[in-house]
């Protein structure tokens, strides 16, 4: 195909990628995103699994199965390339923690500029004792960093615009988050379909008519390519469980660990290899892409049935897929907070009433005491007056006593 077709395809891909990421970022409540950006334990664990665990598993598989250089190098490119927006889409589709997924994507997309070449350099030397292909091509030189930087710019700008829209419109327009989520799902489906179409169309750089679906010379290669993804899902889930992350965050951590950008590996394979080597290398991103799509989908479904996702485990599958529980859980939390805000007012009013009753009782006690005191004083005055009158009549105190005795 012509170079103009490649440019057009890249523009369409980046446009759909932008709409997908922006829609998913707009689905997330700004307060949830702020919370997850400060969730250093979950983000740190996810980045560790993505940039340290998965590349190590790729190298271990190469050593274990003695994979040939075209397959091994391409596999290292795959396990060193973060998956970007597709991981967000999977978390949104099957109701893992979308806010954490977007936060991890933000960090991993930026850090991939340094970690991707670093991991390739380290593990290519560890596996094959050099950093060049059989044709003498530099592995790092095969990477199209221009395309990588464009993808990074698209993802970061989409996240920023999506979060800004969520902050400004989320509270003003009730249906905004649902509309953004629907738009993201449509963009994700279109992006997948467009990527499938492109995989069967030869690019202007040429791929020697290689068909990645052709049977491999050794079926063990397929197993070896799939193992890093499968083992990564299990290990990252165990680590997230040991770290006591909330269950939806465990699903997100595992997805972010294993979902990789196979497009970067395809581009690197075309630049590095030719002929039979290219035929072997081109199978790697295809097999890994099929493995991650199937295994992550099944993993999230099992997690949902085990009660790890935000969706109720007894809900119908079609409803779980079509409904965003990220939005539902946020609205439920808002209702809960509103109820909690109202409860203290009623509690305070009850307390105020009780305090008022107590004050009235205290005031009543004081009043009765004062009345008793006044009565005592009145009684004393009456007695003194009576005594004075009697004394005045009798003329003296002695006469008073005598009169009193006589009267008695």
């Amino acid at each position: 195909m012509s170079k103009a077709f490649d440019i057009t395809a890249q523009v369409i891909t980046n446009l759909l990628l932008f709409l997908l990421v922006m829609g998913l970022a707009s689905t997330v409540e700004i307060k949830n995103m702020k919370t997850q950006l400060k969730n250093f334990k979950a983000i740190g664990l996810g980045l560790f699994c993505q940039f340290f665990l998965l590349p190590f598993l790729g190298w271990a598989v190469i050593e274990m199965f003695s994979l040939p250089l075209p397959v091994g190098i391409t596999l290292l490119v795959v396990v060193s390339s973060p998956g970007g927006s597709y991981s967000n889409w999977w978390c949104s589709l099957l109701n893992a923690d979308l806010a954490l997924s977007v936060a991890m994507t933000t960090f991993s997309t930026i850090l991939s500029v340094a970690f991707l070449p670093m991991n390739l350099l380290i593990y290519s030397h560890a596996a094959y004792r050099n950093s060049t292909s059989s044709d003498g091509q530099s592995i790092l030189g095969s990477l199209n960093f221009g395309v990588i930087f464009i993808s990074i710019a698209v993802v970061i700008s989409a996240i920023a615009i999506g979060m800004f829209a969520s902050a400004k419109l989320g509270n003003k327009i009730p249906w905004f988050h649902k509309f953004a989520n629907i738009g993201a799902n449509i963009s994700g489906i279109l992006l997948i379909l467009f990527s499938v179409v492109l995989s069967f169309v030869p690019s202007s750089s040429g791929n020697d008519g290689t068909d990645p679906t052709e049977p491999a010379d050794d079926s063990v290669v397929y197993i070896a390519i799939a193992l890093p993804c499968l083992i990564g899902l299990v290990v990252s889930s165990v680590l997230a469980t040991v770290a006591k992350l909330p269950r939806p965050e465990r699903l997100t951590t595992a997805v972010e660990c294993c979902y990789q950008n196979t497009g970067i590996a395809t581009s690197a394979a075309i630049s590095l290899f030719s002929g039979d080597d290219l035929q072997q290398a081109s199978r790697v991103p295809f097999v890994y892409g099929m493995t991650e799509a199937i295994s992550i989908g099944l993993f999230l479904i099992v997690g949902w049935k085990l009660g790890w996702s935000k969706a109720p485990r007894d809900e119908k599958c079609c409803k779980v897929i079509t409904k965003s529980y990220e939005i539902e859980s946020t609205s439920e939390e808002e209702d809960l907070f509103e109820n909690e805000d109202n409860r203290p007012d009623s509690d305070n009013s009850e307390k105020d009433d009780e305090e008022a009753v107590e004050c009235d009782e205290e005031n009543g006690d004081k009043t009765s005491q004062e009345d008793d005191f006044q009565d005592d004083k009145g009684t004393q005055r009456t007695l003194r007056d009576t005594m004075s009158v009697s004394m005045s009549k009798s003329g003296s105190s002695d006469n008073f006593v005598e009169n009193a005795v006589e009267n008695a």
Side-chain angles (χ1 to χ4, degrees):
M1 287 290 177
S2 65
K3 194 166 185 67
F5 176 83
D6 288 346
I7 295 175
T8 302
Q10 186 175 351
V11 169
I12 295 175
T13 300
N14 286 327
L15 177 61
L16 292 173
L17 175 64
F18 177 85
L19 294 175
L20 170 61
V21 178
M22 185 184 69
L24 293 175
S26 299
T27 302
V28 179
E29 284 279 354
I30 188 68
K31 62 180 181 181
N32 292 345
M33 185 63 177
K34 288 181 179 179
T35 300
Q36 291 298 354
L37 285 174
K38 298 177 183 178
N39 190 356
F40 300 117
K41 182 169 71 171
I43 291 177
L45 180 59
L47 295 177
F48 169 79
C49 292
Q50 193 164 54
F51 290 119
F52 293 94
L53 174 62
L54 198 64
F56 173 79
L57 292 176
W59 168 79
V61 166
I62 292 172
E63 293 290 339
M64 186 182 303
F65 291 90
S66 300
L67 296 180
L69 188 141
V71 175
I73 292 297
T74 309
L75 181 60
L76 287 177
V77 177
V78 170
V79 296
S80 301
S81 305
S85 60
Y86 279 117
S87 59
N88 305 151
W89 189 63
W90 276 107
C91 291
S92 173
L93 188 67
L94 291 171
N95 298 288
D97 197 306
L98 178 58
L100 178 62
S101 179
V102 174
M104 284 186 181
T105 297
T106 304
F107 285 102
S108 65
T109 301
I110 298 173
L111 294 176
S112 64
V113 178
F115 277 98
L116 195 159
M118 183 189 75
N119 282 324
L120 281 178
L121 186 63
I122 292 173
Y123 288 109
S124 61
H125 273 284
Y128 299 105
R129 308 299 184 268
N130 62 63
S131 57
T132 60
S133 67
S134 56
D135 297 334
Q137 294 284 337
S138 171
I139 295 173
L140 296 182
S142 69
L143 299 177
N144 190 339
F145 282 96
V147 174
I148 294 174
F149 279 117
I150 290 174
S151 298
I152 291 174
V154 168
V155 171
I156 297 300
S157 60
I159 291 175
I161 294 174
M163 294 310 302
F164 179 80
S166 177
K168 295 297 182 181
L169 302 177
N171 295 328
K172 296 179 180 179
I173 305 176
W175 46 263
F176 173 76
H177 292 295
K178 292 184 179 181
F179 177 80
N181 186 259
I182 292 172
N185 287 333
I186 294 174
S187 299
I189 293 172
L190 291 177
L191 185 58
I192 291 176
L193 294 176
F194 189 69
S195 300
V196 171
V197 171
L198 289 180
S199 66
F200 291 98
V201 178
S203 65
S204 60
S205 59
N207 60 359
D208 295 348
T210 302
D211 182 6
T213 62
E214 289 180 3
D217 297 332
D218 188 356
S219 59
V220 177
V221 173
Y222 284 153
I223 299 175
I225 295 171
L227 276 179
C229 179
L230 300 176
I231 298 175
L233 279 175
V234 175
V235 175
S236 58
S237 299
V238 171
L239 291 177
T241 303
V242 172
K244 296 182 179 180
L245 296 183
R247 291 177 178 179
E249 292 184 6
R250 299 175 195 176
L251 296 179
T252 296
T253 301
V255 172
E256 291 293 331
C257 169
C258 300
Y259 206 99
Q260 299 300 98
N261 190 337
T262 56
I264 295 176
T266 302
S267 176
I270 292 173
S271 300
L272 280 171
F273 306 106
S274 60
D276 293 338
D277 288 347
L278 177 59
Q279 186 173 358
Q280 292 182 52
S282 63
R283 295 193 186 106
V284 176
F286 178 81
V287 173
Y288 190 95
M290 293 294 295
T291 301
E292 67 182 358
I294 296 173
S295 61
I296 288 177
L298 292 175
F299 171 77
L300 289 174
I301 291 174
V302 172
W304 159 50
K305 284 299 184 182
L306 291 176
W308 280 28
S309 76
K310 293 187 176 183
R313 66 172 71 183
D314 55 349
E315 190 64 87
K316 294 181 180 179
C317 184
C318 58
K319 189 174 182 180
V320 170
I321 294 175
T322 57
K323 183 178 181 179
S324 175
Y325 289 87
E326 182 79 19
I327 301 172
E328 295 296 327
S329 61
T330 301
S331 58
E332 288 176 0
E333 289 175 0
E334 290 177 351
D335 294 339
L336 179 61
F337 288 141
E338 289 178 359
N339 293 333
E340 288 179 351
D341 290 339
N342 292 330
R343 283 175 186 170
D345 294 338
S346 60
D347 294 340
N348 288 336
S349 62
E350 292 177 0
K351 290 180 180 178
D352 292 340
D353 294 339
E354 292 176 358
E355 291 176 356
V357 171
E358 291 177 359
C359 290
D360 292 340
E361 292 177 353
E362 291 178 359
N363 292 333
D365 294 338
K366 290 181 179 178
T367 303
S368 61
Q369 291 176 1
E370 291 177 356
D371 293 339
D372 294 339
F373 179 73
Q374 294 296 331
D375 292 340
D376 292 339
K377 291 177 67 178
T379 303
Q380 292 175 2
R381 283 198 300 268
T382 304
L383 290 174
R384 283 199 300 268
D385 293 341
T386 304
M387 291 174 66
S388 298
V389 172
S390 300
M391 289 177 68
S392 62
K393 288 180 179 180
S394 60
S396 65
S397 58
D398 295 336
N399 293 333
F400 171 75
V401 173
E402 292 177 358
N403 294 330
V405 172
E406 292 176 358
N407 292 331

